[in-house]
Amino acid sequence: MFPAPRKSNAWKDRYAWATNIQPEPGLVRSLRQRMSERYCVPFNSVQCNCHDGTSGVKPHCDLYRVVAMLRVGAERCFEVGEQRRNGGNNFKPYPMSHGSLITFLSGGLAHRMLADPAVGPCISLVFRLVTPPQTVASWHDKPTYSKTRAEHRKLYDAEVSEYRAARASEPTEAPYDHATLIGDMEAAQVAAGRQY
């Protein structure tokens, strides 16, 4: 058992998962590859969050570009608010049943999930393109905040451009029905606070 981190540094451990790489099951790899194809983003990270009814997600923002989240298990209500620059309030509910997909097409939208003891457990699979600046504690340090985020944006955009260029040069395949990926999947995309 590892000792608990000191309270003053606990917040720096939020991205410890980014350097704790685990084997990727075949089904998860297939989902990640299909998500990459769907959004033309080379997702390299799948974060698995297990929730019971007593757990929630505090309001926060993913700062840059595309993040997709697949929900498996009990239905939970995921709430999306305003852009951070507008205060990140005025949350709107998006019920997510088993197999639902919600996608942020740009960074900055606040989101949260409130605890609901009346529901059962669920799992969220969060697909991201993670760059090296996000995997170190200095990602959170105010003196280097602007520098690390600028470097992240630069690396992110370069990887996406390279991926899209490679995809454009590949032979065109017949389109597939994305819903067959995990059965009867409901898709919800969120951009600029709108669901469509």
Side-chain angles (χ1 to χ4, degrees), residues 23-179:
E24 185 178 37
L27 175 60
V28 174
R29 182 184 308 110
S30 176
L31 287 168
R32 179 176 57 78
Q33 291 170 345
R34 288 294 183 95
M35 293 289 184
S36 294
E37 293 171 7
R38 179 179 178 90
Y39 298 109
C40 287
V41 173
F43 294 121
N44 61 5
S45 169
V46 183
Q47 180 181 352
C48 179
N49 299 319
C50 300
H51 301 282
D52 60 23
T54 62
S55 63
V57 177
K58 293 181 179 180
H60 68 284
C61 299
D62 286 292
L63 295 178
Y64 196 65
R65 302 299 186 190
V66 181
V67 176
M69 185 180 76
L70 180 65
R71 176 60 51 79
V72 180
E75 180 173 313
R76 294 291 296 272
C77 190
F78 196 72
E79 298 186 356
V80 180
E82 299 172 319
Q83 290 278 350
R84 173 178 284 189
R85 62 176 176 267
N86 296 329
N89 297 312
N90 295 330
F91 286 93
K92 296 179 182 178
Y94 292 91
M96 294 187 70
S97 58
H98 174 74
S100 294
L101 171 67
I102 193 165
T103 303
F104 293 89
L105 302 178
S106 63
L109 283 174
H111 46 282
R112 68 184 181 187
M113 185 177 73
L114 302 177
D116 185 354
V119 302
C122 66
I123 295 173
S124 296
L125 297 174
V126 185
F127 300 85
R128 293 187 179 94
L129 171 56
V130 175
T131 65
Q134 289 180 292
T135 66
V136 294
S138 61
W139 175 256
H140 302 285
D141 291 341
K142 288 184 179 180
T144 57
Y145 188 92
S146 296
K147 182 178 179 181
T148 54
R149 278 150 180 74
E151 183 66 15
H152 166 65
R153 289 192 294 269
K154 179 180 176 182
L155 292 171
Y156 185 105
D157 289 342
E159 288 193 41
V160 170
S161 295
E162 183 178 337
Y163 178 81
R164 291 178 179 177
R167 295 268 302 155
S169 65
E170 294 175 358
T172 304
E173 298 179 3
Y176 63 88
D177 180 2
H178 187 66

